[in-house]
Amino acid sequence: MKIQESISPNEADIRLLEALASLNQISKTINEIGSADVISSVDSLKLIVESAIRVVPGSSAVIYTYNEAKAIFEPESRVSAEPDGNENLAAASMKDDLPRVHGIGNRAVSRRDRVLSYEESDVNVHPYYESLGVKAVGCFPMIVADQVVGVLYVYLYEERPFSRLELLMLENFVHQAAMAIYHSRRLADVRKDLTRKEDDLNRLNRAGMLISSRLKLEETLESILHLALDMTGAHYGIFRLLDKSGKNLVTHAFAGQDMTRPLTEELPLNSNSVMAFAARSRQTILIPDLMAEPWAKVYYPLDAGMQMRSELAVPLINASGRLEGVLNLESPEPGAFDENHSHNLQTMATFAVAAIQEVRLLDALQEVAQLILSQPCQKVLDHLTSLACDLLNASVSALWLRHENELVLESSCGAYVHGETMPVEGSLTGLAVLNRQAVVADDVRIDPRFHRRDLAKSQNWMRALIVPLLSNENELPLGAIGVYSSEPDPGLFAESDWDKKVLTFLSYYAVMAIQNESRQQALRSAQEQRSVAETFAAVGDIASNLLHHLNNKVGTIPVRVQSIQDKCAPALQADPYLANNLGEIERCAMEAMQTVRDNLSHLRPIRLEPVNIEGRIAEALQAAKLPPGIKIQLKGLSDLPLVTAGGQSLVFVFTNLIENAADAMQGKGIISINGKAFEKWVEITIRDTGPGIPPELHDRIFELTYSGRSGQRPGKLGFGLWWVKTLMTRLGGSVNIDSDGEHGTAFRLRLPRVEEVK
């Protein structure tokens, strides 16, 4: 079917005007999304289908939104319009015309381009519409940011193709519909995040509306530009923002008379231009005449066809001293700007900086919130320290976690080394923890409270801002997060309330990540303990039954041997070989029964009680029967508090690890056993000087089926470290390994302390 123009020029003009009016109305409706709690695009889509049938006379139109992540159309989103007098389409339900799997809608989605039925030999009209007399159908995908968000169907009841004008206008409607859907979806997602965090972000609700999408920032900047043009009478205005590299000023918004996009999208910060000069000098530049020296050599025309004579450029500097970009106005009239215009434009620049800061902050917080739900705690903390530097224009950031009376570096962005420690008492960071409030220092290079003045001098750190990681009112903070600046200018973030708030927000998310990780670990531990308890309850029943049968069978062997010895004493006296073997059979049977009893006893329920660690380690050392080449070093055991455990189970754990260490060192080396008490648990470290265990085996060695050494000690079932981990889990503790595979192995055991009776 060949496309032909079947409308007169006059009719085309009328329909074009109608289409433009519809586009204006649609744009207005889309702009209202996000205001007055309106987040739905239904009104906009309704206008679009109604406009579509007006520009294509005698047609019907339907819109379905599309979920690209799930690759499905959303039936509940259906919006339709039909010509006057046609009630068939209005009466259609979602099931009647739901897009088919291999229909024209899915083809348009996969191609990401329009599909016209009369151009496709293998495409047929949907049976429902065919029954209504539809002769042809056009399907137009709605695409935003390379994502399909919906599809517009237009049905023709005449045997004709779409005209070029109709196709052009429908394509415009499709773009508007795509923006309405995308805008409402984006806004809905941000609203959902803000609802969850409204307690922490109640002062940023307005900013959340402002930056409901990336387009919103440009719209805000454009509004500021139009206001600035009206106030100053300028001919042209532009916002250029600094990119992430800090090397280029990139166009983000512009406005003016008879102006298309600027000829140059990016201006290098070191370029020969007025905007770049204003950015580098961080000063407002007012130029009465661009043709005068020295500006004639500096001026860079944004468009070769525009002759400008005066210019006003204001750098965008946030509260922490960070350069965000430049706001620039130009006029073809010499001396168009005065000092009053300069002051007004600086006020406009302040509004722009606030919008930019809020966009950056909310985008960052939204990103962190997603990370908390999907990524490990360490990755979240690393991201937070990186954000702290980025948002506050700091040279270095560091996040410290409190362990008793020490602060341990958990994450940093800069020159700090992970794992570094410092005391809580007497340190600048510790002061923020003890006082539960932000701490500011003017120059950490000479501040006696700063624990690394040597590092501050070598890195030229000066100002510091540190806030505590507050969890609740009744406990000391979990730690602190701080930023350090090397900027030579005075003040900046150390004296900015905005920056204190930003860093406080980041500290809240750090606490959320830490507490979430702790809760997840507690949940996993509880689930593991319950699973182990249920398993051992079942295995215990089996073990009892097994032991009963073994007693019945193996237990008769010594009785029968003694009966033989009594009745056949003369024969045994005459045959020493027979007598010795009968005695050996009796001994082996009795030892086998005792071994089974000893090992199966671990399957029975454990009675938890207060246990002294030092005494149980002494029992384990005696039970291990170590060779003379093994030396034992004990440290910190006598002062350990009581732990909640099962005494014999704990002896078994220590014995197993000590014997493993002796075997690893082949009977010659040092086993050091150290104890350390913490607030809620006791840690015992058993370290050997053997060859170590490769990191890739650290998880496997605790598996039931793993056996790292061919030789097993007699009288053991051979379950090894699986028993150790299982028993520690049943005791409410944990076991971890530390070894590089070359310099020995350390097993760290943690057991809960006995709660003190108040």
Side-chain angles (χ1 to χ4, degrees), residues 104-310:
I104 190 172
N106 277 295
R107 179 172 296 192
V109 169
S110 63
R111 289 185 182 177
R112 295 177 179 268
D113 197 3
R114 73 186 184 199
V115 177
L116 306 176
S117 62
Y118 49 80
E119 293 180 351
E120 309 281 339
S121 60
D122 59 338
V123 169
N124 56 355
V125 178
H126 193 291
Y128 174 77
Y129 290 103
E130 190 174 18
S131 68
L132 298 179
V134 170
K135 305 300 182 183
V137 58
C139 188
F140 303 82
M142 305 170 188
I143 303 174
V144 178
D146 201 33
Q147 290 187 352
V148 179
V149 297
V151 168
L152 168 66
Y153 296 88
V154 181
Y155 300 97
L156 291 175
Y157 293 86
E158 302 176 3
E159 191 73 41
R160 72 172 181 85
F162 294 96
S163 68
R164 293 179 181 176
L165 178 60
E166 289 171 342
L167 290 174
L168 179 60
M169 290 186 290
L170 290 174
E171 290 286 359
N172 276 278
F173 290 146
V174 164
H175 295 322
Q176 294 283 4
M179 288 305 303
I181 297 169
Y182 176 80
H183 191 55
S184 63
R185 284 180 176 178
R186 184 78 182 272
L187 182 59
D189 291 340
V190 173
R191 284 283 186 85
K192 188 182 297 183
D193 289 337
L194 290 176
T195 300
R196 290 196 302 264
K197 301 185 291 283
E198 64 180 351
D199 290 339
D200 294 335
L201 304 178
N202 54 6
R203 295 188 178 183
L204 298 174
N205 283 336
R206 181 176 177 276
M209 295 295 296
L210 184 65
I211 62 163
S212 57
S213 70
R214 285 292 183 185
L215 296 176
K216 198 69 173 182
L217 175 60
E218 274 67 27
E219 292 173 4
T220 302
L221 298 180
E222 286 179 7
S223 299
I224 294 174
L225 279 178
H226 285 296
L227 181 58
L229 293 177
D230 291 340
M231 293 177 64
T232 62
H235 186 86
Y236 172 74
I238 185 172
F239 270 107
R240 290 188 187 270
L241 303 186
L242 197 66
D243 63 7
K244 289 187 176 182
S245 69
K247 298 179 180 179
N248 300 294
L249 294 169
V250 182
T251 301
H252 273 251
F254 62 93
Q257 305 174 22
D258 303 324
M259 180 63 191
T260 58
R261 287 201 68 86
L263 188 65
T264 302
E265 291 292 331
E266 294 186 2
L267 282 179
L269 200 60
N270 58 1
S271 65
N272 187 34
S273 67
V274 174
M275 294 187 74
F277 181 78
R280 293 195 301 268
S281 66
R282 301 192 174 201
Q283 295 180 354
T284 299
I285 307 296
L286 196 162
I287 305 175
D289 189 355
L290 290 167
M291 298 297 103
E293 297 295 337
W295 306 113
K297 298 179 181 179
V298 177
Y299 176 65
Y300 184 90
L302 298 173
D303 191 317
M306 298 174 62
Q307 182 65 38
M308 297 295 172
R309 293 295 302 274
S310 55

Side-chain angles (χ1 to χ4, degrees), residues 602 620 647-660 686 721 723-728 731 735 749 751:
H602 298 300
Q648 291 306 311
S649 297
L650 207 52
V651 171
F652 172 84
V653 168
F654 293 145
T655 303
N656 192 297
L657 293 177
I658 292 170
E659 289 177 346
N660 284 352
I686 301 177
L721 293 174
W723 270 115
V724 171
K725 183 175 181 180
T726 301
L727 286 173
M728 289 300 295
L731 295 173
V735 57
L749 309 173
L751 290 162

Side-chain angles (χ1 to χ4, degrees), residues 678 681-684 728 732-736 748-752:
F678 293 90
W681 66 81
V682 169
E683 183 176 274
I684 304 97
M728 289 300 295
S734 64
V735 57
N736 293 290
R748 289 189 171 86
L749 309 173
R750 281 190 174 182
L751 290 162

